[in-house]
Amino acid sequence: MGKGNEALTESYFYILLCLHRGPLHGYGIMQETLSLSGGKVKIGSGTMYGATGNMIKKGWIEETEGSSDGFERKRMYRLTDEGERVLADEIERLRLLLKSADEVYGRG
């Protein structure tokens, strides 16, 4: 894990995780997050667009060609190589946390 990496928020983590599977639009990411988290994590549209804007600035994701529903173009996002690295680092960090918790707390 790289030095100085901060933990990702749940929203950032799930957005990157969803995009690891391939490009998606914002609504698709919100629905996939709800599904992956068993309904426990809900990303609202305001959070979604604020987070995607910040992650574009950081170079973790980028906009890609979107589809059109006849009225407006949907914003599609995809993970960059840097975004893949950030996601991998976060998964490694979470695994270490769980390993430590298992050592201390034990497995139910």
Side-chain angles (χ1 to χ4, degrees):
M1 186 161 119
K3 292 181 179 178
N5 290 348
E6 294 183 27
L8 298 179
T9 64
E10 279 186 333
S11 297
Y12 277 45
F13 177 76
Y14 275 105
I15 291 167
L16 293 176
L17 190 62
C18 290
L19 293 177
H20 175 74
R21 291 182 166 172
L24 268 177
H25 52 78
Y27 182 74
I29 294 169
M30 291 187 282
Q31 293 302 108
E32 185 70 10
T33 294
L34 208 53
S35 174
L36 286 171
S37 69
K40 293 185 176 165
V41 178
K42 182 177 182 182
I43 299 176
S45 57
T47 299
M48 177 72 211
Y49 294 109
T52 53
N54 286 336
M55 287 192 278
I56 287 170
K57 287 178 190 169
K58 291 175 182 276
W60 298 354
I61 66 172
E62 60 191 6
E63 269 195 62
T64 186
E65 289 298 312
S67 61
S68 174
D69 61 8
F71 297 103
E72 62 181 307
R73 186 181 74 83
K74 292 182 180 177
R75 290 185 196 176
M76 295 284 289
Y77 304 98
R78 72 173 160 217
L79 213 48
T80 63
D81 289 344
E82 178 67 8
E84 282 284 358
R85 187 196 61 74
V86 168
L87 178 61
D89 284 354
E90 179 67 357
I91 290 169
E92 183 181 333
R93 186 189 74 80
L94 292 170
R95 283 185 175 139
L96 179 61
L97 287 176
L98 287 174
K99 182 180 177 222
S100 298
D102 284 344
E103 286 177 18
V104 173
Y105 192 71
R107 296 180 184 200

